[in-house]
Every structure is written in structure tokens, then in C-alpha cells.
């Protein structure tokens, strides 16, 4: 476009003369310089054209108000010019029109920006709503699956109960059964207050899939620190006691297989302490366990006698002259009520030795955990370990079936576990098929001891979500099997179930156990061997566990009915199979560190494991605090806190004073420190 200097003088003159009034800047209503007017002047002078907009539309025409310098007469259509910039035209362009077009253009752009922003915000909100909806849909589907499995199991139990009304709810059933007088499947057990956390756990396991690696320490111990301890309880530093004999000690041990094992080891120590001959211990028939098995039905009697001969003298029966005596009449029967729990050696020297010297025999009836761990001399403590870890071997019948159990747990893999030979003896070779090239990782499995039998549940005085029906059932059980505890409950104010749980004195429920495993990082495909089939509440109580970890097995599932037939109605022998399955596992998890099976299994794994047999010991007090926040805690925070609580229990340390050498064998009496 031509500049002003290039225009003809006549044009400039004519226009200038016609608009001879001096232009003044347009002001707004408050009299200040309008920035739009300044922009409009600049636009006109630059000679640029006005952008296309909706100026031509009547609906967007500017409404010009009256001015003190000019007016517009609508009736006559005459324009009265005044000294106003609104009427000033330059080169055929109206500055007022240009200014208005610029305003409209800005308004259009602004509106377009607002529309774009609203559309983007709407899309973002829609995507967020879809994601939240999908999350709740996945959780709803998982909860629905849990409920469907619960209904299927419930229907199966009802059908089984109807078809076999006389089937007892004891260990003879090859399926997970219910203890107590209540029939299996009669009641749907609640999942407690953990429905939300179980849904989060199911979602986390589904997301984990196959690609996400498990935590590095999940299947490991602190190898360097733990491998420095070596077994050495078989070393003897004293002379044989065969020549010395003050009399005979008879022991009838109560409880299940694991309590009986502890009683045998204590009896060996007492025989040495009192310079007496030990009669091969007998096992008391229990109304809880209902097992008539004796020592020779579970352990190799000849190996036990021969191995312990350098330490004590052992016979199978009392001499004839003592066998005919009425031991109770002569005061030679000592019950648990006569001996305090974890009595010191001085108690026996003061109270029991005189009976032996007088009557030449003493019978400990119902003998259990009646010998303290401290103070005890070095050699007596080592004798205790020697009996537990070296002298007690399972009979061939149990070893053979145990080897078969391990073979199927490892899915016919050739890799034998490091403890197989010590657990199943010569039958460990049967687990090898000649192919030694397979990776040991392919056969690893986790063993879990769910200490949730009715005796444990009733004795704990805790509540487990069963309401009034559960409370009445457990009270009736305590009245029969734990009368002293039942009387104490009525005559003494005991801590409430909530207080007991907050202090970590309640066994973990199956729901809490599966949440712990999921939080630790075990994948959904992990094979889990569950020890103990007498779960209080029956198979429905395992719904959460089997739903999150479908690759769950028991000895009843792995072994056929014919293979289990020799052990039917012998709970202690079946417990020996559980002992083998748990001890040989690549990782072992317990739900109650106070149970004898968990104590013995974890100690055996420490003693012979060489620092490569990790054990998960939950701190129940810390876990109770975490579980109490189940309605609000996020899954990621739950994982972090559970892993921290469990990791603290993996530290390698020597046996604390007064604690069990069976559970904590890392001490100078049982193991030798080879580190620097």
C-alpha cells in the first residue's frame, strides 16, 4: 500500500480540508486514554486492513452512545460533526470501525479458547470417571468370585454332610474339615472386616502378573551371617552315664506329636540330671487328638536308644520287680499339677531325686514343657539339642510317604532339597529321576502352618468374626477340654478379645495370613503347602486363601486315599507328614510363633539349613496395629508396613536367654560359630 507521501496532493488536500477539525483522542467514560483507541490509530497508520469478523452482522454492530462532541440523529439521518475522533476518517477507513473489529476479533478468540478448554476438561473428567469405574468394576468382579467360590464350597460341604451324615469332622477325613460339634458347611463364615483389603490384594496380585519380579529377600535368608553357624550338637565332651543308676524315670507325654517331641527331649535331660535310667517314653491318649500312637509308631526306637546310649541308659520296659508296684500308692506318680511350668533343675534335684532314691522309680504323668531352658549347664543344654536334631528319626513308613509327598510338591522335579536326606532318610533318592540339569527354582514351594485348630482358637480367648454362635461354641469347648481356663474366665477379669488382639496374643486368621503373603510379594502362581487340615470353620474359612492363591495344596490333596490309609485316625503320624512338608520347603511361613510345630520346624531349618532356608515369623503385635486400619489404609502403605514388620524378624541373632533351643538353636550349646 502507498504511503502518505506518495499520494497526490489534490487528494490529500481535499481530504484534509474536508476534515479540518483537529482530532482528539477518544476517552472512556472516566476520561482516561483508551488503549483500544491507541491501537486503532496505530492500525490505521500502518495501512493494514481490518481482519474479517462478524462486524457486518447487525447483531454485532456497536451501539454508539451520545457524545458531547457529536451526535447522531436517527430521525433525519444527518450526522453532526464535532471535534471527536469518532467521526474522523482517514483514507476511507473509520478508526471507530477498526477498533470495534479488533474488539470483536479478540472476543471471538477468547470464546474459542474457552470452548477448547471446556472440551479438554470434559474429556479429562470423562476419562477419570471411566478409570474409577473400571477400578470398582474389577474389585466387584473379584469380590463376586470370592462369593461364588464360597457358595460352591458351601454347597459341596452340604452335599457331603447329607450323603455322609456319620462322617466325623476329624483328621481321618481326607478333606479340610471342621472341628467341634458343628457339622461342616452348616454356617457361612464371614471374612471378618477385611473385604476391602482382600479386594485390594486380589487387584495387586492380578497387576503383578508374570513380569514383575518378587522382592529379592522373599526366598532368602541373610546368607553370610546365618551360614556362619554350623551344627555341632553331636559332639560329646563327657563320659557315659551307663554305670550310674539311681533308679528309673517313666514319662507319659501329653499333647500332639510336637509337644510329645519336646517332652522326650526334656525326659532325656532329666535322666542325665538325676543319674537315672530312662524308660522309652509313652504317649498319652488325648481327647483332642484322639491318637493311640506310641513312640515306636512315629520314631525309630532302636536308633533312639543306640544314639543316646553314650549319654544315658535307656530301656524299653521297667524291670519286673518295679512293674508290679502300685506307683500311685507309693507316691511315685508326679503330674503336671505337681511341677511348675519350666521348672529349674534345682526343683528336680530337691523334690524328685528323693522319690527316686526311695522308690527307685518315678512316673511323670502328663509330662510336657516342665523343664526350663535357663539356667542349665552347657552339656545338658547340648544334650537337649542332640536328642531333638540327631536322635529322633521318623519310622520308614512315615519317611517313605514323606518322600512321596515332597516329590509331588516339587512336581516330579529332580532337584532334592537340602534337608530331604535328614527328613526321609534313604527314601530321598526316590525323588531323583536322573535328570540333574533342571533348575532348583522350578520346584520351589512355600509351606504355611495355619495354627487355627479349635484347641488353639478356644485357648486364645480371642474372637474371630463368628459372632454369638462362635462365642457359645468356644465356651462349650473350653468347659470340656480346658476346665481350668474356663473357671478362670468366670472368676477373674481377663483382658478383652480386642485387648488380646492388640497385644498380638491371637493367632492369625486365614484371611490375615493371605493378606500377609500378598503384601510380602508372593505371586499368585506360588505353590503353597498348608500344614494342618483341621481348620476351625472348615473349608469355607479358606475361601480367601484359595481365591488369591489357587495353587494351594495339602497332604490330603497330594496323596491318594490309599496312600493315606495307613495313617488314618493317627493324627500324630499325619502331623509327622506335615512336619516333613514344612521343614523341606524353600520358604516357611507361620501364623503363630508360639505353636510347637512352627517352633520345631523353624529350628530344624536353622540347624541344618546352612543359611538358605528362610522362615517368615510375623510380629503379631505389629500386624494387629496394621490390620486395625484395614478400612482406610492404602495397599501400597499396607505392603510397606507388613514387609518392614516381617523383615525385622529375619535378623540373625543368638538365642535370647530363657528362650527355646528348639526354636533358636544358634547358641554355643547347639551350634558352633565359624565366623570371624
Amino acid at each position: 500500500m502507498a504511503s502518505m507521501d506518495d499520494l497526490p496532493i489534490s487528494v490529500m488536500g481535499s481530504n484534509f480540508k474536508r476534515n479540518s477539525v483537529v482530532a482528539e483522542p477518544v476517552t472512556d467514560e472516566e476520561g482516561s486514554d483508551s488503549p483500544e483507541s491507541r491501537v486503532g490509530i496505530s492500525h490505521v497508520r500502518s495501512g493494514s486492513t481490518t481482519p474479517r469478523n462478524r462486524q457486518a452482522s447487525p447483531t454485532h454492530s456497536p451501539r454508539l452512545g451520545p457524545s458531547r462532541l457529536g451526535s447522531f440523529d436517527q430521525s433525519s439521518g444527518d450526522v453532526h460533526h464535532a471535534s471527536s475522533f469518532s467521526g474522523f476518517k482517514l483514507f476511507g477507513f473509520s478508526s471507530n470501525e477498526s477498533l470495534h473489529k479488533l474488539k470483536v476479533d479478540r472476543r471471538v478468540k477468547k470464546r474459542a479458547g474457552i470452548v477448547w478448554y471446556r472440551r479438554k476438561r470434559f474429556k479429562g473428567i470423562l476419562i477419570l470417571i471411566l478409570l474409577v469405574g473400571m477400578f470398582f468394576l474389577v474389585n466387584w468382579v473379584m469380590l463376586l468370585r470370592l462369593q461364588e467360590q464360597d457358595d460352591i464350597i458351601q454347597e459341596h460341604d452340604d452335599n457331603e454332610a447329607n450323603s455322609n451324615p456319620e462322617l466325623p469332622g476329624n483328621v481321618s477325613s481326607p478333606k479340610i474339615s471342621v472341628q467341634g460339634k458343628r457339622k461342616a458347611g452348616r454356617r457361612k463364615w464371614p471374612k471378618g472386616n477385611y473385604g476391602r483389603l482382600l479386594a485390594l490384594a486380589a487387584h495387586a496380585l492380578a497387576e503383578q502378573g508374570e513380569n514383575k519380579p518378587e522382592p529379592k529377600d522373599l526366598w532368602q535368608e541373610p546368607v553370610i551371617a546365618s551360614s556362619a553357624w554350623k551344627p555341632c550338637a553331636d559332639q560329646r565332651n563327657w563320659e557315659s552315664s551307663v554305670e550310674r543308676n539311681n533308679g528309673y524315670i517313666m514319662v507319659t507325654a501329653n499333647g500332639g506329636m510336637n509337644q510329645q517331641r519336646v517332652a522326650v527331649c526334656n525326659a532325656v535331660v532329666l535322666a542325665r540330671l538325676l543319674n537315672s535310667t530312662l524308660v522309652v517314653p509313652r504317649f498319652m491318649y488325648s481327647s483332642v487328638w484322639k491318637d493311640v500312637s506310641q513312640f515306636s509308631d512315629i520314631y525309630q526306637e532302636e536308633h533312639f536308644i543306640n544314639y543316646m546310649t553314650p549319654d544315658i541308659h535307656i530301656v524299653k520296659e521297667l524291670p519286673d520287680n518295679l512293674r508290679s508296684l502300685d506307683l500311685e500308692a507309693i507316691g511315685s506318680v508326679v503330674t503336671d499339677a505337681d511341677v511348675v511350668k519350666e521348672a529349674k533343675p534345682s526343683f528336680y534335684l530337691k523334690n524328685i531325686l528323693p522319690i527316686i532314691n526311695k522308690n527307685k522309680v518315678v512316673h511323670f504323668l502328663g509330662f510336657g514343657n516342665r523343664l526350663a531352658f535357663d539356667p542349665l549347664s552347657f552339656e545338658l543344654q547340648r544334650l537337649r539339642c542332640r536328642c531333638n536334631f540327631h536322635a529322633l528319626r521318623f519310622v520308614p513308613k512315615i519317611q517313605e510317604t514323606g518322600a512321596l509327598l515332597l516329590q509331588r510338591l516339587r512336581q516330579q522335579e529332580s532337584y532334592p532339597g537340602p534337608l530331604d536326606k535328614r527328613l526321609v532318610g534313604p527314601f530321598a533318592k526316590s525323588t531323583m529321576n536322573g535328570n540333574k540339569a533342571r533348575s532348583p527354582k522350578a520346584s520351589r514351594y512355600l509351606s504355611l502352618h495355619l495354627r487355627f485348630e479349635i484347641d488353639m482358637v478356644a485357648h486364645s480367648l480371642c474372637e474371630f468374626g463368628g459372632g454369638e454362635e462362635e462365642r457359645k461354641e468356644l465356651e462349650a469347648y473350653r468347659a470340656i477340654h480346658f476346665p481350668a481356663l474356663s473357671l478362670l474366665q468366670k472368676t477373674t477379669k481377663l483382658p478383652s478379645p480386642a485387648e488380646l488382639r492388640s497385644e498380638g496374643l491371637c493367632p492369625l486368621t486365614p484371611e490375615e495370613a493371605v493378606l500377609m503373603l500378598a503384601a510380602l510379594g508372593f505371586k499368585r502362581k506360588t505353590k503353597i503347602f498348608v500344614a494342618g487340615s483341621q481348620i476351625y470353620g472348615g473349608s469355607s474359612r479358606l475361601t480367601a486363601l484359595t481365591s488369591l492363591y489357587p495353587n494351594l495344596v495339602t497332604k490330603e490333596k497330594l496323596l491318594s486315599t490309599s496312600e493315606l490309609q495307613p495313617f488314618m485316625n493317627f493324627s500324630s503320624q499325619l502331623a509327622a507328614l506335615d512336619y516333613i512338608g514344612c521343614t523341606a520347603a524353600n520358604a516357611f511361613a507361620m501364623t503363630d510363633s508360639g505353636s510347637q510345630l512352627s517352633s520345631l520346624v523353624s529350628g530344624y531349618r536353622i540347624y541344618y539349613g546352612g543359611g538358605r532356608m528362610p522362615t517368615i515369623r510375623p510380629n503379631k503385635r505389629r500386624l494387629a496395629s496394621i490390620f486395625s486400619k484395614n478400612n482406610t489404609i492404602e495397599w501400597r502403605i499396607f505392603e510397606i508396613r507388613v514387609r518392614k514388620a516381617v523383615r525385622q524378624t529375619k535378623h540373625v541373632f543368638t538365642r535370647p536367654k530363657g528362650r527355646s533351643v528348639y526354636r533358636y538353636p544358634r547358641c554355643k550349646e547347639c551350634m558352633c560359630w565359624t565366623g570371624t
Side-chain angles (χ1 to χ4, degrees), residues 104-320:
V104 172
D105 187 45
R106 287 188 173 186
R107 192 180 300 120
V108 170
K109 290 182 178 180
K110 184 176 181 180
R111 288 180 179 176
I114 292 174
V115 172
W116 177 86
Y117 172 74
R118 287 178 178 175
R119 287 179 179 176
K120 295 293 287 185
R121 185 174 63 177
F122 176 76
K123 289 181 180 179
I125 294 175
L126 183 61
I127 293 174
L128 180 61
I129 292 174
L130 289 175
L131 290 176
V132 173
M134 289 181 65
F135 174 76
F136 283 105
L137 179 63
V138 171
N139 288 342
W140 178 78
V141 170
M142 296 304 298
L143 288 174
L144 185 63
R145 289 185 60 190
L146 290 175
Q147 185 64 35
E148 287 176 352
Q149 277 199 319
D150 195 6
D151 294 339
I152 292 172
I153 294 173
Q154 193 74 18
E155 183 179 357
H156 177 270
D157 287 344
D158 289 338
N159 294 337
E160 185 177 90
N162 294 332
S163 60
N164 300 285
E166 297 181 357
L167 181 65
N170 56 25
V171 76
S172 64
S173 173
K175 302 183 181 298
I176 298 175
S177 58
V178 180
Q179 287 188 333
K181 297 180 180 179
R182 176 175 48 85
K183 290 185 179 180
R186 181 62 58 85
R187 168 164 36 117
K188 287 186 178 181
W189 281 83
K191 300 179 180 64
N193 299 321
Y194 302 117
R196 174 181 171 273
L197 275 178
L198 288 171
L200 293 176
H203 184 71
L205 290 175
E207 282 189 338
Q208 190 179 20
E210 300 294 332
N211 298 325
K212 187 177 180 180
E214 294 175 326
K216 293 182 179 179
D217 61 343
L218 194 59
W219 300 86
Q220 298 177 359
E221 272 191 290
V223 179
I224 297 178
S226 56
S227 60
W229 291 92
K230 303 296 182 182
C232 61
D234 55 335
Q235 300 177 7
R236 294 179 172 89
N237 297 320
W238 59 13
E239 296 179 358
S240 173
S241 64
V242 176
E243 301 297 331
R244 296 170 288 177
N245 187 8
N246 292 326
Y248 292 86
I249 292 178
M250 295 179 61
V251 170
T252 302
N254 58 1
M257 185 208 76
N258 301 289
Q259 293 91 332
Q260 293 166 351
R261 187 182 182 107
V262 172
V264 170
C265 296
N266 288 340
V268 168
V269 175
L270 283 183
R272 177 74 189 202
L273 175 68
L274 303 177
N275 291 329
S276 302
T277 298
L278 176 66
V279 180
V280 173
R282 296 188 60 81
F283 297 152
M284 180 183 294
Y285 178 83
S286 171
S287 59
V288 176
W289 302 105
K290 299 178 180 179
D291 187 5
V292 296
S293 299
Q294 291 302 319
F295 187 94
S296 59
D297 297 319
I298 302 173
Y299 302 107
Q300 298 179 26
E301 190 174 73
E302 294 299 329
H303 172 77
F304 172 73
I305 294 174
N306 295 333
Y307 192 88
M308 299 307 302
T309 295
D311 302 300
I312 60 173
H313 187 209
I314 303 176
V315 296
K316 295 182 179 181
E317 297 287 347
L318 279 174
D320 293 338

Side-chain angles (χ1 to χ4, degrees), residues 277 408 412 464 482 664:
T277 298
R408 292 176 182 171
Q412 308 296 334
F464 302 95
F482 305 117
Y664 303 106

